[in-house]
Amino acid sequence: MSKKIKWVPGEILEDDYPVYGDYLYFADDRLIRSDIFGTVWDLKRDLRSQDITFEYIRAARMDFGEV
């Protein structure tokens, strides 16, 4: 039996929550990698400048499922 890492959406993050470059987040149900060091507000602005639509940003959590 081996383990496989799966990324799942966590809690919705407030606009003043810190974000970090190269960290994973969810824009709605889409897994994204941040290029931003700042806040969720900065990340939202960056995503909108790339024409990525979303309603909220969620934390990305690891789920260690079985294969």
Side-chain angles (χ1 to χ4, degrees):
M1 177 171 28
S2 64
K3 299 284 183 176
K4 182 178 179 183
I5 297 174
K6 178 181 173 184
W7 291 97
V8 296
E11 69 276 8
I12 294 175
L13 303 176
E14 298 293 328
D15 283 348
D16 61 349
Y17 191 87
V19 296
Y20 303 97
D22 292 331
Y23 276 53
L24 298 175
Y25 300 93
F26 277 89
D28 293 340
D29 294 326
R30 179 179 175 180
L31 186 63
I32 58 165
R33 184 185 57 82
S34 173
D35 292 327
I36 300 298
F37 290 85
T39 64
V40 167
W41 187 88
D42 299 316
L43 178 58
K44 287 178 176 180
R45 183 178 58 191
D46 181 60
L47 294 173
R48 288 182 180 119
S49 76
Q50 299 176 53
D51 293 326
I52 297 172
T53 59
F54 58 91
E55 289 186 41
Y56 46 80
I57 301 296
R58 290 185 178 268
R61 301 285 181 233
M62 286 187 270
D63 178 21
F64 296 95
E66 294 181 20
V67 176

Coordinates of all heavy atoms in Angstrom, one line a residue:
M1 N 0.9 -1.2 0.0 CA 0.0 0.0 0.0 C 0.9 1.2 0.0 O 1.8 1.4 0.8 CB -0.9 0.0 1.2 CG -1.8 1.1 1.4 SD -3.0 1.0 2.7 CE -2.3 -0.1 4.0
S2 N 0.7 2.2 -0.9 CA 1.4 3.4 -1.0 C 0.5 4.6 -0.8 O -0.7 4.5 -0.9 CB 2.2 3.5 -2.3 OG 1.2 3.6 -3.4
K3 N 1.1 5.7 -0.4 CA 0.4 6.9 -0.2 C 0.5 7.9 -1.4 O 1.6 7.9 -2.0 CB 0.9 7.6 1.1 CG 0.8 6.8 2.3 CD -0.7 6.8 2.8 CE -0.8 6.0 4.1 NZ -2.0 6.0 4.7
K4 N -0.6 8.6 -1.6 CA -0.5 9.6 -2.7 C -1.0 10.9 -2.1 O -2.0 10.9 -1.4 CB -1.5 9.1 -3.8 CG -1.5 10.1 -5.0 CD -2.4 9.5 -6.1 CE -2.4 10.5 -7.3 NZ -3.3 10.0 -8.3
I5 N -0.4 12.0 -2.4 CA -0.8 13.3 -2.0 C -1.8 13.9 -2.9 O -1.6 13.9 -4.1 CB 0.4 14.3 -1.9 CG1 1.5 13.7 -0.8 CG2 0.0 15.7 -1.5 CD1 2.7 14.5 -0.8
K6 N -2.9 14.4 -2.3 CA -3.9 15.0 -3.1 C -4.1 16.4 -2.4 O -4.2 16.5 -1.2 CB -5.2 14.2 -3.0 CG -6.4 14.8 -3.7 CD -7.6 13.9 -3.6 CE -8.8 14.6 -4.1 NZ -10.0 13.8 -3.9
W7 N -4.2 17.4 -3.2 CA -4.5 18.8 -2.7 C -6.0 19.0 -2.7 O -6.7 18.7 -3.7 CB -3.8 19.8 -3.6 CG -2.4 19.8 -3.5 CD1 -1.5 19.2 -4.3 CD2 -1.6 20.3 -2.4 NE1 -0.2 19.3 -3.9 CE2 -0.2 20.0 -2.7 CE3 -1.8 21.1 -1.3 CZ2 0.8 20.4 -1.9 CZ3 -0.8 21.5 -0.5 CH2 0.5 21.2 -0.8
V8 N -6.5 19.5 -1.6 CA -7.9 19.7 -1.4 C -8.1 21.1 -0.9 O -7.3 21.7 -0.2 CB -8.6 18.7 -0.4 CG1 -8.5 17.3 -1.0 CG2 -7.9 18.7 0.9
P9 N -9.3 21.8 -1.2 CA -9.5 23.1 -0.7 C -9.7 23.1 0.8 O -10.4 22.3 1.4 CB -10.8 23.5 -1.4 CG -11.0 22.6 -2.5 CD -10.3 21.3 -2.1
G10 N -9.1 24.1 1.5 CA -9.3 24.4 2.9 C -10.2 25.5 3.1 O -11.1 25.8 2.3
E11 N -10.0 26.3 4.2 CA -10.9 27.4 4.5 C -10.7 28.6 3.6 O -9.7 28.7 2.9 CB -10.6 27.8 6.0 CG -9.2 28.5 6.2 CD -8.0 27.6 6.4 OE1 -8.2 26.4 6.2 OE2 -6.9 28.1 6.6
I12 N -11.8 29.3 3.5 CA -11.8 30.6 2.7 C -10.9 31.6 3.4 O -11.0 31.8 4.7 CB -13.2 31.1 2.5 CG1 -14.0 30.2 1.6 CG2 -13.1 32.5 1.8 CD1 -15.4 30.6 1.4
L13 N -10.0 32.2 2.7 CA -9.0 33.2 3.3 C -9.5 34.6 3.2 O -10.0 35.0 2.1 CB -7.6 33.0 2.7 CG -7.0 31.6 2.7 CD1 -5.7 31.5 2.0 CD2 -6.8 31.1 4.2
E14 N -9.4 35.3 4.3 CA -9.7 36.8 4.3 C -8.7 37.6 3.5 O -7.6 37.2 3.3 CB -9.8 37.3 5.8 CG -10.8 36.6 6.6 CD -12.2 36.9 6.2 OE1 -12.5 38.0 5.7 OE2 -13.1 36.0 6.4
D15 N -9.1 38.7 3.0 CA -8.3 39.6 2.2 C -7.0 40.0 2.8 O -6.0 40.2 2.1 CB -9.0 40.9 1.8 CG -10.0 40.6 0.7 OD1 -10.0 39.5 0.1 OD2 -10.8 41.5 0.4
D16 N -6.9 40.1 4.2 CA -5.7 40.5 4.8 C -4.8 39.3 5.2 O -3.7 39.5 5.8 CB -6.0 41.4 6.0 CG -6.8 40.7 7.1 OD1 -7.3 39.6 6.8 OD2 -6.9 41.2 8.2
Y17 N -5.2 38.1 4.8 CA -4.4 36.9 5.2 C -3.1 36.9 4.3 O -3.1 37.2 3.1 CB -5.2 35.7 4.9 CG -4.6 34.4 5.4 CD1 -4.9 33.9 6.7 CD2 -3.8 33.6 4.6 CE1 -4.3 32.8 7.2 CE2 -3.2 32.4 5.1 CZ -3.5 32.0 6.4 OH -3.0 30.8 6.8
P18 N -1.9 36.6 4.9 CA -0.7 36.6 4.2 C -0.6 35.5 3.2 O -1.0 34.3 3.5 CB 0.4 36.5 5.2 CG -0.3 36.0 6.4 CD -1.7 36.3 6.3
V19 N 0.0 35.7 2.0 CA 0.2 34.7 1.0 C 1.7 34.8 0.6 O 2.4 35.8 0.8 CB -0.7 34.8 -0.3 CG1 -2.1 34.6 0.1 CG2 -0.5 36.1 -1.0
Y20 N 2.2 33.7 0.1 CA 3.7 33.6 -0.2 C 3.9 33.0 -1.6 O 3.1 32.1 -2.1 CB 4.3 32.6 0.8 CG 4.1 33.1 2.2 CD1 3.1 32.6 3.0 CD2 4.9 34.1 2.7 CE1 2.9 33.1 4.3 CE2 4.7 34.6 4.0 CZ 3.7 34.1 4.8 OH 3.5 34.6 6.1
G21 N 4.9 33.5 -2.3 CA 5.2 33.0 -3.6 C 5.6 31.5 -3.5 O 6.2 31.0 -2.6
D22 N 5.2 30.8 -4.6 CA 5.4 29.4 -4.7 C 4.5 28.5 -3.8 O 4.7 27.3 -3.8 CB 6.9 29.0 -4.6 CG 7.7 29.5 -5.7 OD1 7.2 29.7 -6.8 OD2 8.9 29.8 -5.5
Y23 N 3.6 29.1 -3.0 CA 2.7 28.3 -2.2 C 1.4 28.1 -3.1 O 1.1 28.8 -4.0 CB 2.3 29.1 -1.0 CG 3.2 29.0 0.2 CD1 4.6 29.2 0.1 CD2 2.7 28.6 1.4 CE1 5.4 29.1 1.1 CE2 3.6 28.5 2.5 CZ 4.9 28.7 2.4 OH 5.7 28.6 3.4
L24 N 0.7 27.0 -2.8 CA -0.5 26.6 -3.5 C -1.7 27.1 -2.8 O -1.8 27.1 -1.5 CB -0.5 25.1 -3.7 CG 0.6 24.5 -4.5 CD1 0.5 23.0 -4.5 CD2 0.6 25.0 -5.9
Y25 N -2.7 27.6 -3.6 CA -4.0 28.1 -3.1 C -5.0 27.6 -4.1 O -4.7 27.2 -5.2 CB -4.0 29.6 -3.0 CG -2.9 30.1 -2.0 CD1 -1.7 30.5 -2.5 CD2 -3.2 30.3 -0.7 CE1 -0.7 31.0 -1.6 CE2 -2.2 30.7 0.2 CZ -1.0 31.1 -0.3 OH 0.0 31.6 0.6
F26 N -6.3 27.7 -3.7 CA -7.4 27.4 -4.6 C -8.1 28.7 -4.9 O -8.4 29.5 -4.0 CB -8.4 26.4 -4.0 CG -8.0 25.0 -4.1 CD1 -7.2 24.4 -3.2 CD2 -8.4 24.3 -5.2 CE1 -6.8 23.1 -3.3 CE2 -8.0 22.9 -5.3 CZ -7.2 22.3 -4.4
A27 N -8.3 29.0 -6.2 CA -9.2 30.1 -6.6 C -10.5 29.4 -7.0 O -10.5 28.7 -8.0 CB -8.6 30.8 -7.8
D28 N -11.5 29.4 -6.1 CA -12.6 28.6 -6.2 C -12.2 27.1 -6.1 O -11.5 26.7 -5.2 CB -13.5 28.9 -7.4 CG -14.2 30.3 -7.3 OD1 -14.3 30.8 -6.2 OD2 -14.6 30.8 -8.3
D29 N -12.4 26.3 -7.2 CA -11.9 24.9 -7.2 C -10.7 24.7 -8.1 O -10.3 23.6 -8.3 CB -13.1 24.1 -7.7 CG -14.3 24.1 -6.8 OD1 -14.1 24.2 -5.6 OD2 -15.4 24.0 -7.3
R30 N -10.1 25.8 -8.5 CA -8.9 25.7 -9.3 C -7.6 25.8 -8.5 O -7.4 26.8 -7.8 CB -8.9 26.8 -10.4 CG -7.8 26.8 -11.3 CD -7.9 27.9 -12.3 NE -6.8 28.0 -13.2 CZ -6.6 28.9 -14.1 NH1 -7.6 29.7 -14.4 NH2 -5.6 28.9 -14.8
L31 N -6.7 24.8 -8.5 CA -5.5 24.9 -7.8 C -4.5 25.9 -8.5 O -4.3 25.7 -9.7 CB -4.9 23.5 -7.7 CG -3.6 23.4 -6.8 CD1 -3.9 23.7 -5.4 CD2 -3.0 22.0 -7.0
I32 N -4.0 26.8 -7.8 CA -3.1 27.8 -8.4 C -1.8 27.9 -7.5 O -1.8 27.6 -6.4 CB -3.7 29.2 -8.5 CG1 -4.1 29.7 -7.1 CG2 -4.9 29.2 -9.4 CD1 -4.4 31.1 -7.0
R33 N -0.7 28.3 -8.2 CA 0.5 28.6 -7.5 C 0.7 30.1 -7.4 O 0.7 30.8 -8.5 CB 1.7 28.0 -8.2 CG 3.1 28.2 -7.4 CD 4.2 27.6 -8.2 NE 4.4 28.2 -9.5 CZ 5.0 29.4 -9.7 NH1 5.4 30.2 -8.7 NH2 5.1 29.9 -11.0
S34 N 1.0 30.7 -6.3 CA 1.1 32.1 -6.1 C 2.5 32.6 -6.6 O 3.5 32.0 -6.3 CB 0.9 32.5 -4.7 OG 1.2 33.9 -4.5
D35 N 2.5 33.7 -7.3 CA 3.7 34.4 -7.6 C 3.9 35.6 -6.7 O 4.8 36.4 -6.8 CB 3.7 35.0 -9.1 CG 3.7 33.8 -10.1 OD1 4.4 32.8 -9.8 OD2 3.1 34.0 -11.1
I36 N 2.9 35.8 -5.8 CA 2.8 37.0 -4.9 C 3.3 36.7 -3.5 O 2.9 35.7 -2.9 CB 1.3 37.4 -4.9 CG1 0.8 37.8 -6.3 CG2 1.1 38.6 -4.0 CD1 1.6 38.9 -7.0
F37 N 4.1 37.6 -3.0 CA 4.4 37.7 -1.6 C 3.6 38.9 -1.1 O 3.9 40.1 -1.5 CB 5.9 37.9 -1.3 CG 6.7 36.7 -1.6 CD1 7.1 36.5 -2.9 CD2 7.0 35.8 -0.7 CE1 7.9 35.3 -3.2 CE2 7.8 34.7 -0.9 CZ 8.2 34.5 -2.2
G38 N 2.6 38.7 -0.3 CA 1.7 39.9 0.1 C 0.5 39.3 0.9 O 0.7 38.5 1.8
T39 N -0.7 39.8 0.5 CA -1.9 39.3 1.1 C -2.8 38.7 0.0 O -2.6 38.8 -1.2 CB -2.6 40.5 1.7 OG1 -3.0 41.4 0.7 CG2 -1.8 41.2 2.8
V40 N -3.9 38.1 0.5 CA -4.9 37.5 -0.4 C -5.4 38.6 -1.3 O -5.6 38.4 -2.5 CB -6.1 36.9 0.4 CG1 -7.2 36.6 -0.5 CG2 -5.6 35.6 1.1
W41 N -5.6 39.8 -0.8 CA -6.0 41.0 -1.7 C -5.0 41.1 -2.8 O -5.5 41.3 -4.0 CB -6.1 42.2 -0.8 CG -6.7 43.4 -1.6 CD1 -8.0 43.7 -1.7 CD2 -6.0 44.4 -2.4 NE1 -8.2 44.8 -2.5 CE2 -7.0 45.2 -2.9 CE3 -4.7 44.6 -2.6 CZ2 -6.6 46.3 -3.7 CZ3 -4.3 45.7 -3.5 CH2 -5.3 46.5 -4.0
D42 N -3.7 41.1 -2.6 CA -2.7 41.2 -3.7 C -2.8 40.1 -4.6 O -2.7 40.2 -5.9 CB -1.3 41.3 -3.1 CG -1.1 42.5 -2.2 OD1 -1.5 43.6 -2.5 OD2 -0.5 42.3 -1.1
L43 N -3.0 38.9 -4.1 CA -3.2 37.7 -5.0 C -4.4 37.8 -5.9 O -4.3 37.5 -7.1 CB -3.2 36.4 -4.1 CG -3.4 35.1 -4.9 CD1 -2.3 34.9 -5.9 CD2 -3.5 33.9 -3.9
K44 N -5.5 38.2 -5.3 CA -6.7 38.4 -6.1 C -6.5 39.4 -7.2 O -6.9 39.2 -8.4 CB -7.9 38.9 -5.2 CG -8.4 37.9 -4.3 CD -9.5 38.5 -3.4 CE -10.2 37.5 -2.5 NZ -11.3 38.1 -1.7
R45 N -5.8 40.5 -6.9 CA -5.5 41.6 -7.9 C -4.7 41.0 -9.0 O -4.9 41.2 -10.2 CB -4.8 42.8 -7.3 CG -4.6 43.9 -8.3 CD -3.9 45.1 -7.6 NE -2.7 44.6 -7.0 CZ -2.0 45.3 -6.1 NH1 -2.4 46.5 -5.7 NH2 -0.8 44.8 -5.6
D46 N -3.7 40.2 -8.7 CA -2.8 39.5 -9.7 C -3.6 38.6 -10.5 O -3.4 38.6 -11.8 CB -1.7 38.8 -9.0 CG -0.7 38.2 -9.9 OD1 -0.1 38.9 -10.8 OD2 -0.6 36.9 -9.9
L47 N -4.4 37.8 -9.9 CA -5.2 36.8 -10.7 C -6.2 37.5 -11.7 O -6.3 37.1 -12.8 CB -6.0 35.9 -9.8 CG -5.2 34.9 -8.9 CD1 -6.0 34.2 -7.9 CD2 -4.4 34.0 -9.8
R48 N -6.8 38.6 -11.2 CA -7.7 39.3 -12.1 C -7.0 40.0 -13.2 O -7.5 40.0 -14.3 CB -8.5 40.3 -11.3 CG -9.5 39.7 -10.4 CD -10.3 40.7 -9.6 NE -11.3 40.1 -8.7 CZ -11.4 40.2 -7.4 NH1 -10.5 40.9 -6.8 NH2 -12.3 39.5 -6.7
S49 N -5.7 40.4 -13.0 CA -5.0 41.0 -14.1 C -4.6 39.9 -15.2 O -4.3 40.3 -16.3 CB -3.7 41.6 -13.6 OG -2.7 40.6 -13.2
Q50 N -4.7 38.6 -14.8 CA -4.5 37.5 -15.7 C -5.8 37.0 -16.3 O -5.8 35.9 -16.9 CB -3.7 36.4 -15.0 CG -2.4 36.8 -14.5 CD -1.7 35.7 -13.8 OE1 -1.6 34.6 -14.3 NE2 -1.3 35.9 -12.6
D51 N -6.9 37.7 -16.0 CA -8.2 37.3 -16.5 C -8.7 35.9 -15.9 O -9.4 35.2 -16.6 CB -8.4 37.3 -18.0 CG -8.3 38.7 -18.6 OD1 -8.7 39.6 -17.9 OD2 -7.7 38.8 -19.7
I52 N -8.2 35.6 -14.7 CA -8.6 34.4 -14.0 C -9.8 34.8 -13.1 O -9.7 35.7 -12.3 CB -7.5 33.8 -13.2 CG1 -6.4 33.4 -14.1 CG2 -8.0 32.7 -12.3 CD1 -5.1 32.9 -13.4
T53 N -11.0 34.2 -13.3 CA -12.2 34.6 -12.6 C -12.4 33.6 -11.4 O -12.0 32.4 -11.5 CB -13.4 34.6 -13.5 OG1 -13.6 33.3 -14.0 CG2 -13.3 35.6 -14.6
F54 N -12.9 34.1 -10.3 CA -13.1 33.3 -9.1 C -14.0 34.2 -8.2 O -14.1 35.4 -8.3 CB -11.7 33.0 -8.4 CG -11.0 34.3 -8.1 CD1 -11.1 34.9 -6.9 CD2 -10.1 34.9 -9.0 CE1 -10.5 36.1 -6.6 CE2 -9.5 36.0 -8.8 CZ -9.6 36.6 -7.5
E55 N -14.5 33.5 -7.2 CA -15.3 34.2 -6.1 C -14.5 34.3 -4.8 O -14.7 35.3 -4.1 CB -16.6 33.4 -5.9 CG -17.6 33.5 -7.0 CD -18.9 32.9 -6.6 OE1 -19.3 33.1 -5.5 OE2 -19.5 32.2 -7.5
Y56 N -13.6 33.3 -4.5 CA -12.9 33.3 -3.3 C -11.6 32.6 -3.4 O -11.4 31.8 -4.3 CB -13.7 32.7 -2.1 CG -14.4 31.4 -2.5 CD1 -13.7 30.2 -2.5 CD2 -15.7 31.4 -2.9 CE1 -14.3 29.1 -2.9 CE2 -16.4 30.2 -3.3 CZ -15.6 29.1 -3.3 OH -16.2 27.9 -3.7
I57 N -10.7 32.8 -2.5 CA -9.4 32.1 -2.4 C -9.5 31.2 -1.1 O -9.9 31.7 -0.1 CB -8.2 33.1 -2.2 CG1 -8.2 34.1 -3.4 CG2 -6.9 32.4 -2.1 CD1 -7.9 33.4 -4.8
R58 N -9.1 30.0 -1.3 CA -9.0 29.0 -0.2 C -7.6 28.6 0.0 O -6.8 28.5 -0.9 CB -9.9 27.8 -0.5 CG -11.3 28.0 -0.5 CD -12.1 26.7 -0.7 NE -13.5 26.9 -0.7 CZ -14.2 26.7 0.4 NH1 -13.7 26.5 1.5 NH2 -15.5 26.9 0.3
A59 N -7.3 28.2 1.2 CA -6.0 27.5 1.5 C -6.0 26.2 0.8 O -7.1 25.6 0.5 CB -5.9 27.3 3.0
A60 N -4.8 25.7 0.4 CA -4.7 24.3 -0.1 C -4.1 23.4 1.0 O -3.2 23.7 1.6 CB -3.7 24.4 -1.3
R61 N -4.8 22.3 1.2 CA -4.5 21.4 2.2 C -4.1 20.0 1.5 O -4.7 19.6 0.5 CB -5.6 21.1 3.2 CG -6.1 22.4 3.9 CD -5.1 22.8 4.9 NE -5.5 24.0 5.6 CZ -4.8 25.1 5.7 NH1 -3.6 25.1 5.2 NH2 -5.2 26.1 6.4
M62 N -3.1 19.3 2.1 CA -2.7 18.0 1.6 C -3.7 17.0 2.2 O -4.0 17.0 3.4 CB -1.3 17.7 2.0 CG -0.3 18.5 1.2 SD 1.4 17.9 1.5 CE 1.8 19.0 2.9
D63 N -4.1 16.0 1.4 CA -4.8 14.9 1.8 C -4.0 13.6 1.4 O -3.8 13.4 0.2 CB -6.2 14.9 1.2 CG -7.1 13.7 1.5 OD1 -6.8 13.1 2.6 OD2 -8.0 13.4 0.8
F64 N -3.6 12.9 2.4 CA -2.8 11.7 2.1 C -3.7 10.5 1.9 O -3.9 9.8 2.9 CB -1.7 11.5 3.2 CG -0.7 12.6 3.3 CD1 -0.9 13.6 4.2 CD2 0.4 12.6 2.5 CE1 0.0 14.7 4.3 CE2 1.3 13.6 2.6 CZ 1.1 14.7 3.5
G65 N -4.1 10.3 0.7 CA -5.0 9.1 0.5 C -4.2 7.9 0.1 O -3.0 8.0 -0.1
E66 N -4.9 6.8 0.1 CA -4.3 5.5 -0.3 C -4.4 5.3 -1.8 O -5.5 5.7 -2.4 CB -4.9 4.4 0.5 CG -4.6 4.5 1.9 CD -5.1 3.3 2.7 OE1 -5.4 2.3 2.1 OE2 -5.3 3.4 3.9
V67 N -3.5 4.7 -2.4 CA -3.5 4.3 -3.8 C -3.9 2.9 -4.0 O -3.5 2.0 -3.2 CB -2.2 4.6 -4.5 CG1 -2.3 4.2 -6.0 CG2 -1.9 6.1 -4.4

